[in-house]
């Protein structure tokens, strides 16, 4: 009896411990939860695909024992970054047409290059290259608009990445569908195939109002709603787009689409550079997620989206890189956070707007809200999906550190990412991809470069 009682006291003193699959510990855990807690010497316990506990390393060690541990005292642990707008497979067209206007870029370079080169294999390998780049720089979820999105899904699943993949519909023959009706049929089959998938959310993506008819826009909305799927579109990216809409429809792109009932359902709209206050009121009321793409808007001279005003009005705003074929040449979301903050300061003449914490919000919890996934991702909280990123702070540009948010947004780089977990699975370890063979992917990209260059010279 005395032995039993002594054992009971010992267990009580030590505390009961549960087994978890992994515990990741860091010098700082930036939770991005409602209280925006920053836990010094913090840990996250993971079981399966979900987070089971967040706290100080002492607290987590007292409550849990792990099969696998990762301890990075010289790192910041953040939620996985969310790239709200990409054209991933266009990584194989990286830099194919720089320093030109959007209209010329699309019609003189991109659409012709795609017509000659985009195949299922192109999309598979282009998305693999994009996934490799994104995960190595801390992105765990991306929202994509392109063709053959079943192949993009294959690439994302192979990489272990979370993705919202929009099958593009457009008003002229595309690589995977000769008509918008055929594209919708492709999208519907895609939605059926990936319904309920833990990583892939299938969507439909009418390209824009200037490349889709009224009938096609309405049909895309109906299809998305029938499958409770997201709908993706470009909106008010350029002044030209707005002026054309006013001339043709007598109203802005946002108001024109609203008149069609287009916003009645889960919607993600990229850019929003030329939104006025009436447009913003409509998009807020309809719960539309707006994805800000600072690099792209700068490079194509599209303008500066009024992000500070959108945030002040509690609109749903996320952050994206856009595609790497000229509108932006990389997928580094750490860079986009920096640019987003600094652009708003320049645009408003106020250095206090869009501070570092808000910039991180755009790439994490606000980005999750913008794409309708805030109940699953975007913050480090109990029961959410275990999408975690470890960012090192032991390099010269990271020392000294007085504020973790400032360091993340204004000093650290995508190349500082050390480790990445998605859905409870480590996909990057010590700066190297775990599930992807980088050498094979890069070699394949060089092969495509040769064939693409040859096609353009004909």
């Amino acid at each position: 009896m005395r032995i039993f009682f002594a054992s009971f006291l010992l267990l009580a003193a030590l505390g009961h411990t549960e087994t978890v699959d992994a515990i990741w510990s860091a010098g700082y855990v930036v939770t991005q939860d409602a209280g925006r807690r920053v836990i010094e010497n913090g840990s996250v316990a993971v079981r399966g695909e979900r987070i089971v506990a967040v706290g100080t390393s002492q607290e987590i060690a007292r409550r849990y024992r792990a099969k696998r541990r990762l301890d990075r005292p010289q790192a910041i642990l953040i939620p996985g970054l969310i790239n709200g707008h990409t054209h991933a497979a266009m990584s194989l067209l990286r830099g194919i047409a720089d320093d030109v206007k959007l209209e010329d870029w699309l019609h003189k370079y991109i659409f012709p290059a795609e017509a000659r080169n985009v195949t299922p294999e192109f999309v598979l390998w282009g998305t693999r290259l994009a996934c490799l780049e994104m995960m190595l720089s801390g992105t765990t979820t991306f929202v994509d608009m392109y063709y053959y999105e079943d192949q993009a899904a294959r690439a994302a699943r192979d990489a272990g990445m979370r993705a919202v993949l929009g099958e593009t519909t457009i008003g002229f023959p595309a690589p995977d569908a000769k008509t918008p009706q055929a594209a919708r049929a492709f999208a519907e089959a895609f939605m059926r195939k990936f319904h309920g998938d833990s990583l892939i959310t299938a969507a439909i993506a009418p390209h824009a109002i200037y490349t889709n008819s009224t009938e096609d826009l309405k049909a895309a909305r109906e299809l998305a709603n029938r499958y409770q799927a997201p709908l993706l579109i470009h909106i008010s990216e350029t002044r030209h787009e707005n002026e054309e809409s006013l001339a043709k429809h007598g109203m802005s792109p946002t108001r024109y689409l609203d008149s069609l009932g287009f916003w009645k359902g889960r919607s993600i709209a990229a850019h929003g550079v030329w939104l006025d206050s009436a447009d913003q009121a409509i998009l807020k009321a309809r719960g539309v997620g707006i994805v800000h793409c600072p690099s792209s808007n700068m490079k194509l001279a599209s303008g500066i989206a009024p992000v500070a005003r959108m945030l002040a009005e509690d609109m749903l705003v996320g952050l994206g890189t856009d595609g790497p074929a000229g509108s932006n040449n990389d997928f580094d979301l750490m860079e986009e956070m920096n640019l987003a903050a600094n652009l708003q300061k320049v645009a408003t003449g106020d250095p206090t707007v869009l501070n570092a914490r808000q910039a991180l919000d755009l790439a994490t919890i606000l980005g999750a809200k913008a794409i309708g996934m805030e109940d699953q991702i975007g913050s480090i909280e109990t029961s959410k999906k275990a999408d975690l990123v470890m960012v090192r702070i032991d390099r010269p540009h990271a020392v000294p550190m007085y504020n973790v948010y400032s360091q993340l947004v204004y000093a650290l780089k995508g190349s500082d990412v050390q480790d990445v977990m998605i859905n409870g699975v480590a996909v990057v370890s010590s700066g190297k991809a775990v599930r992807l063979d980088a050498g094979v992917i890069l070699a394949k990209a060089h092969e495509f470069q040769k064939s693409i260059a040859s096609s353009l010279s004909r």
Side-chain angles (χ1 to χ4, degrees):
M1 182 68 181
R2 282 196 299 270
I3 294 172
F4 173 81
F5 186 65
S7 299
F8 174 80
L9 289 176
L10 180 61
L11 286 171
L14 292 174
H16 176 66
T17 58
E18 297 178 39
T19 300
V20 293
D21 295 317
I23 293 175
W24 279 23
S25 304
Y28 301 87
V29 176
V30 179
T31 63
Q32 291 297 93
D33 62 10
R36 297 300 191 272
R37 290 181 302 154
V38 176
I39 304 170
E40 194 167 351
N41 296 320
S43 293
V44 179
V46 174
R47 183 183 296 121
E49 62 188 35
R50 296 194 179 270
I51 296 166
V52 296
V54 186
T56 66
S57 293
Q58 222 174 15
E59 292 168 344
I60 298 301
R62 190 162 56 241
R63 295 170 54 195
Y64 301 96
R65 60 182 181 275
K67 298 172 185 175
R68 299 179 302 279
R69 292 192 62 96
L70 179 65
D71 298 303
R72 300 282 197 200
Q74 292 297 313
I76 304 171
L77 186 60
I78 63 173
L81 302 180
I82 299 163
N83 190 341
H85 180 61
T86 67
H87 306 285
M90 292 176 80
S91 62
L92 293 177
L93 301 175
R94 191 189 313 271
I96 198 171
D98 288 326
D99 308 321
V100 295
K101 294 179 180 179
L102 176 62
E103 292 79 17
D104 291 339
W105 179 77
L106 284 173
H107 295 285
K108 293 182 180 179
Y109 300 97
I110 297 305
F111 291 155
E114 288 177 332
R116 296 171 187 171
N117 293 284
V118 175
T119 63
E121 187 182 28
F122 175 101
V123 174
L124 176 65
W125 286 99
T127 307
R128 280 179 174 158
L129 178 61
C131 286
L132 179 64
E133 182 183 351
M134 283 191 278
M135 66 168 56
L136 289 175
S137 55
T139 291
T140 57
T141 298
F142 68 100
V143 179
D144 195 55
M145 297 173 69
Y146 211 58
Y147 309 108
Y148 295 114
E149 286 291 76
D150 57 338
Q151 296 303 306
R154 179 182 165 191
R157 284 198 61 83
D158 288 348
M161 287 195 74
R162 195 179 307 284
V164 178
L165 304 175
E167 173 64 21
T168 294
T169 69
I170 202 160
F172 51 79
D176 62 350
K178 298 308 177 188
T179 65
Q181 293 86 349
R184 287 195 297 275
F186 190 112
E188 183 169 8
F190 180 47
M191 290 173 186
R192 287 176 175 168
K193 181 176 181 179
F194 285 93
H195 179 73
D197 192 273
S198 63
L199 287 174
I200 305 300
T201 300
I204 188 166
H207 177 265
I209 66 166
Y210 54 86
T211 50
N212 287 272
S213 69
T214 298
E215 294 71 27
D216 292 336
L217 292 165
K218 287 181 176 179
R221 176 78 274 170
E222 188 278 328
L223 178 61
N225 287 356
R226 196 179 341 140
Y227 286 89
Q228 297 183 308
L231 182 149
L232 322 178
I233 193 169
H234 299 94
I235 190 74
S236 289
E237 182 176 358
T238 64
R239 187 197 296 269
H240 175 77
E241 178 187 337
N242 270 28
E243 291 174 345
E244 187 177 67
S245 181
L246 288 169
K248 185 175 181 180
H249 306 293
M251 59 187 95
S252 71
T254 294
R255 291 193 280 280
Y256 163 63
L257 289 170
D258 195 52
S259 73
L260 305 181
F262 186 84
W263 301 124
K264 293 180 180 178
R266 184 176 167 192
S267 308
I268 304 168
H271 299 297
V273 176
W274 293 93
L275 300 175
D276 62 22
S277 57
D279 294 331
Q280 290 174 31
I282 290 170
L283 296 170
K284 178 182 177 181
R286 302 290 185 236
V288 178
I290 303 297
V291 182
H292 177 41
C293 302
S295 282
S296 175
N297 298 158
M298 292 167 63
K299 193 160 182 282
L300 292 170
S302 300
I304 303 174
V307 175
R309 191 168 75 229
M310 292 183 200
L311 292 176
E313 294 173 1
D314 293 322
M315 292 179 66
L316 303 176
V317 186
L319 196 62
T321 59
D322 208 346
S327 56
N328 185 2
N329 293 45
D330 63 44
F331 293 104
D332 188 346
L333 212 60
M334 298 278 284
E335 179 180 50
E336 301 302 321
M337 290 193 293
N338 183 302
L339 292 173
N342 288 334
L343 263 182
Q344 293 305 299
K345 300 177 195 308
V346 169
T348 62
D350 182 355
T352 69
V353 301
L354 196 57
N355 60 39
R357 197 192 78 179
Q358 289 176 305
L360 181 63
D361 287 351
L362 290 176
T364 55
I365 189 59
L366 290 187
K369 290 179 179 179
I371 67 171
M373 298 180 73
E374 71 273 19
D375 60 331
Q376 299 291 317
I377 60 175
S379 59
I380 302 177
E381 298 183 74
T382 300
S383 82
K384 281 199 173 184
K385 294 296 181 74
D387 291 4
L388 307 172
V389 174
M390 199 77 80
V391 188
R392 63 189 303 174
I393 51 173
D394 59 353
R395 288 174 168 170
H397 62 273
V399 178
M401 183 172 74
Y402 301 101
N403 181 290
V404 290
Y405 294 109
S406 293
Q407 210 80 344
L408 283 164
V409 173
Y410 300 129
L412 299 178
K413 316 295 179 188
S415 56
D416 293 317
V417 169
Q418 272 187 294
D419 311 279
V420 177
M421 175 185 287
I422 305 175
N423 224 38
V425 178
V427 296
V428 174
S429 178
S430 298
K432 296 185 183 300
V434 174
R435 298 169 59 127
L436 295 178
D437 189 324
V440 170
I441 292 171
L442 296 179
K444 200 70 178 178
H446 286 302
E447 287 180 26
F448 274 102
Q449 179 188 8
K450 293 175 184 176
S451 63
I452 292 166
S454 176
S455 78
L456 297 177
S457 65
R458 293 199 295 269

